[in-house]
Amino acid sequence: MLTVDFSRFPLAPGDRVLDLGCGAGRHAFECYRRGAQVVALDQNGEEIREVAKWFAAMKEAGEAPEGATATAMEGDALALPFPDESFDVVIISEVMEHIPDDKGVLAEMVRVLRPGGRIAITVPRYGPEKVCWALSDAYHEVEGGHIRIYKADELTAKVREAGLRPYGSHHAHALHSPYWWLKCAFGVDNDKALPVRAYHKLLVWDIMKKPLATRVAEQALNPVIGKSFVVYATKPHLPCIADGTEGVAAK
């Protein structure tokens, strides 16, 4: 289940991609399938080991085109172990809401992104997330849990302040919002509640079968209750100055 829409976020074979806070690796796997040179980075060593196993399995199964590469590694989002301008593309999906120093993470992503490169950022959407917080303290008051809720204009402003140029945004995963509301209402660790189990079966069926009816329904509902907010941006070729215009290149 991808949150980044690659029809809005083009990826070319050979692009150097950093999936920052990759988790289980869903976006990294898709980039690998598209022929990119992927680095999947996360602070969770257990998840990184699983991602590495899947990369190896994909290579063995011939799922990645010739020239594509994939590396899984542990690392700190606030101190990325890469030189400046190392990547053409950076993806950070459902991560920034966990990190106290989100501006520091943005600064590191900008540092390792080449001029003209692209970045995709996804976070939980304000409205659906507020419902989750209202229904359950356990949903967010856990170690490593969500520490903030972004409004779309707030996140976009931070992206601009970091020196990036947003060029598009959208919402995703509307069908998942009710599932998390049910989870919060019945207990985030209570997977046995009948409404939670029933809705989970629906989501699994939808992911596996991709029926037209649910695809159309989700597309219609995304602007209303989409679980995630996604913003896309580019790094300018020239540094920005105080008035928001680009600097003039020396002759």
Side-chain angles (χ1 to χ4, degrees):
M1 184 187 70
L2 299 174
T3 308
V4 172
D5 181 352
F6 286 93
S7 69
R8 309 182 194 215
F9 189 67
L11 190 69
D15 275 352
R16 298 163 295 166
V17 178
L18 172 63
D19 185 2
L20 180 56
C22 64
R26 57 200 173 104
H27 289 105
F29 300 149
E30 180 65 20
C31 293
Y32 190 32
R33 291 188 187 98
R34 290 172 178 259
Q37 298 174 8
V38 184
V39 175
L41 184 144
D42 200 286
Q43 67 176 2
N44 187 317
E46 184 176 344
E47 285 195 312
I48 282 298
R49 286 187 287 274
E50 284 299 310
V51 170
K53 290 178 183 177
W54 278 106
F55 278 151
M58 290 172 67
K59 182 178 181 179
E60 185 175 349
E63 291 188 36
E66 186 176 353
T69 61
T71 303
M73 62 184 295
E74 290 185 59
D76 182 355
L78 289 165
L80 295 174
F82 311 112
D84 295 355
E85 302 178 8
S86 297
F87 295 96
D88 303 299
V89 172
V90 177
I91 296 171
I92 184 167
S93 183
E94 311 300 302
V95 173
M96 287 181 57
E97 68 275 8
H98 296 273
I99 301 177
D101 186 9
D102 57 347
K103 290 185 178 180
V105 173
L106 275 168
E108 273 293 87
M109 290 190 290
V110 171
R111 180 184 68 79
V112 301
L113 186 66
R114 69 164 177 82
R118 303 173 304 287
I119 189 167
I121 301 170
T122 92
V123 297
R125 184 184 186 176
Y126 183 83
E129 186 76 346
K130 284 286 284 186
V131 173
C132 288
W133 282 44
L135 289 171
S136 171
D137 290 337
Y139 171 80
H140 62 97
E141 291 182 357
V142 294
E143 184 178 355
H146 298 185
I147 62 171
R148 71 173 65 82
I149 308 176
Y150 287 101
K151 292 184 177 180
D153 56 356
E154 175 194 0
L155 179 60
T156 303
K158 287 188 175 184
V159 169
R160 291 186 185 279
E161 289 169 7
L164 297 166
R165 281 183 174 174
Y167 69 83
S169 64
H170 63 89
H171 300 98
H173 309 318
L175 296 183
H176 286 251
S177 289
Y179 172 71
W180 282 102
W181 297 338
L182 289 169
K183 288 269 288 181
C184 290
F186 286 92
V188 290
D189 297 319
N190 180 13
D191 294 327
K192 295 182 178 180
L194 180 59
V196 175
R197 286 192 289 116
Y199 202 96
H200 184 261
K201 287 182 179 180
L202 170 66
L203 291 179
V204 172
W205 172 78
D206 174 58
I207 291 169
M208 298 300 294
K209 301 296 184 180
K210 296 181 174 64
L212 178 61
T214 55
R215 296 299 89 213
V216 171
E218 184 158 75
Q219 187 173 8
L221 289 170
N222 274 338
V224 184
I225 59 168
K227 183 73 171 69
S228 295
F229 172 67
V230 188
V231 61
Y232 305 108
T234 59
K235 180 177 177 177
H237 283 278
L238 296 174
C240 294
I241 58 177
D243 65 359
T245 60
E246 289 185 345
V248 178
K251 294 183 179 180

